[in-house]
Amino acid sequence: MAIEQELVEHIDMIKLAREENDPELESESVKALLGIRRNVKEKELEALLSGEHDYCSCFIEVQAGAGGTESMDWASMVMQMYKLWAQRKGYGVSVVDEMPGEIAGIKRATIKVDGENAFGYAKSEVGVHRLVRISPFDSAKRRHTSFVAVAVIPILGDGSTRVQINESDLRIERFRSGGAGGQSVNTTESAVRITHIPTGITASCQNERSQHSNKASAMAVLQSRLDQLEMARQAQMNAQHTQSLTEISWGNQIRTYVLHPYRMVKDLRTNYEVSDPDSVLEGDLDDFILSFLSTSLDKDEE
Amino acid sequence: MKVDICECVEEMRLSFIRPISCCAVSSPATSLKPQTPLFLRPPTFKTTISDLKKWHLWAKSLASSVGSTFLELDNGPDSDLLLRELNWLVEDAVETPKLFLQQPHKDYHDNSSVSIRASLEDLYMLWKQRVEERRPFQYVVGCEHWRDLVLSVQEGVLIPRPETELIVDLVDDAIKENEELREGLWADLGTGSGALAIGIARILGTSGRVVATDLSPVATAVASYNVQRYDLEEKVYVKQGSWFEPLRDDEGEFVGLVSNPPYIPSKDIDGLQAEVGRHEPRLALDGGASGVNDLIHLCDGAVSLLKPGGFFAFETNGDEQSKSLVHYIETKKQGSFSKVKMVPDFAGIQRFITGFRGR
């Protein structure tokens, strides 16, 4: 085995370096060993990403649960966590749709995560995320529990069969367009909402700089939602699909983040936990994802 | 930019002889060299991350202070929209905007250097103009994203509206119905930034051409610049002059005609949103007493301009105006056009009228 051989060689090299008293060689070899460890970890992870659509880019959607500003703030923290995670992984991240809360946070948002295996990793995050903390929005400084639902939708590649959308089944509306429109109004707001009439599924986008681009982005989201619906229909037998936001029941909790009275993040599916919530909220999610993926692989093998 | 035909028809006759009309251009064009949009300028200015963050923080709080006051006052932008525009300003002004925007908020003491396309002082000034003077964002950055294009715009040229994007789709539909239209001669009258002419040129075939006219020398300079940016000099001819005047030699040769002429009734101009009323060229907006002066002129001229079977699409002030124009064509231009109809925009307003020259 190539890796085994490399491992032995580097260990011999370290021994030699110590005998020869050559610190430069020693540190080089230690570095190489660390490199191998990282490499092996990555290979293991790649083995875990063997699902049909795992290689795809994806949309991540976050929705605040009941509880007003406190849970909307939590929703924006979760969204920020995914943005930072995706950036760490070198993925492209763009906000497609965002509905801000009245006072703080977001009611709902969709980001697009572009890059290899984005869906394969991110699908581990589907479900309800629970936060326990002293709310900064509560003047009485009481402890609050808030919930956020996360959905992940793969963006199918060219090779996959995608749902055919009839132009005549679509209703396209401009929203937040006050007043007369046309020459009377100068706004950079060109958001559109597209409704697929037969299914009632909608998608919207307002973050692009032209209406044309907003429409194209919203169409991409709509296409993926319809693809996902179709996949869900087909996959009902083996229950392998990821759920959409509307399907996720608020009982389906996957992870708890406790900031007070103690500090901990714990995954309820794998029992993996860490005592540093800040690093997790800054996007250090890979260990959670990895442990979930290996657990589900073990389950599949059983 | 366009001129009100009825108000100065005599002066305009003179202007056809002279290269620049004295009545039509409200302020003399000081320089006909179009401005380069911010995002295309070289990043020759340097500042530090920390100073740029300070500007960004200041700009954010200025935007947030607006709340919904402009929205309630005249349907202007609210804080959310201004904050989104601020992101776009960073996108256009900073050489590595993603790095800057995605950095965590910790680095206020970061003294590393960052390259920008305007001086930091100018960035302060530009954002002040945007918020305090209500200068349109598109003039601030010198461009408008329209369809899949990024068009240069500047004071004196109407900023193309999202609604108008649909005219290109209407033309596309007409061409798909009748492929002969793809290789013919098209006209965009009152082209402004050249948006429609460029949008249409990009869906025409190898021998399809567009003639774009505008009375304003600022508009023709900007339109020519945009045409160049998209390498369309072979396909789009920009001509200065009023409406049909520059096309006289080719009357009856056109397979298509589009226009987004001034259509706002004169009495409504004073009550317009500040971005429009205070900053955009009145001559591109004011359509006379009822707003339809130029639209009527276009309907009249289309009869002799278009070949049989030729297509036209005009933007209007919406609903009532579209109805009255369809009525005008059906009664006063009886037999000249067929399949005349109104088409709604995405807000559900009957924004366009389209039809075909009778065969």
Side-chain angles (χ1 to χ4, degrees), chain A residues 87 100 172-174 177-178 180-189 206-213, chain B residues 75 81 84-85 88 91-92 102 136 138 145 147 159 161-163 165 260-261 263-264 273 276 346 349 351:
Chain A
Q87 277 167 33
I172 304 172
E173 299 155 285
R174 180 150 180 211
S177 61
Q183 288 166 9
S184 304
V185 177
N186 178 344
T187 176
T188 50
E189 169 76 72
Q206 71 266 49
N207 270 23
E208 300 287 341
R209 286 171 78 162
S210 84
Q211 181 169 278
H212 189 80
S213 312
Chain B
N75 204 22
L81 189 50
R84 201 182 303 154
E85 289 180 1
W88 293 336
E91 236 172 58
D92 283 7
Q102 292 177 351
Q138 301 92 334
H145 289 234
R147 292 190 67 88
I159 296 158
R161 305 291 197 254
E163 286 89 344
E165 290 183 356
N260 172 24
Y263 53 61
I264 299 176
Q273 181 198 343
V276 183
F346 288 154
I349 295 170
R351 178 66 59 194

Side-chain angles (χ1 to χ4, degrees), chain A residues 226-252:
Chain A
L226 289 171
D227 290 342
Q228 187 196 30
L229 194 72
E230 178 58 20
M231 271 155 53
R233 202 180 60 79
Q234 287 176 3
Q236 258 165 1
M237 304 296 280
N238 57 18
Q240 273 284 308
H241 75 287
T242 63
Q243 295 158 303
S244 74
L245 271 182
T246 45
E247 287 175 304
I248 294 169
S249 104
W250 290 99
N252 184 14

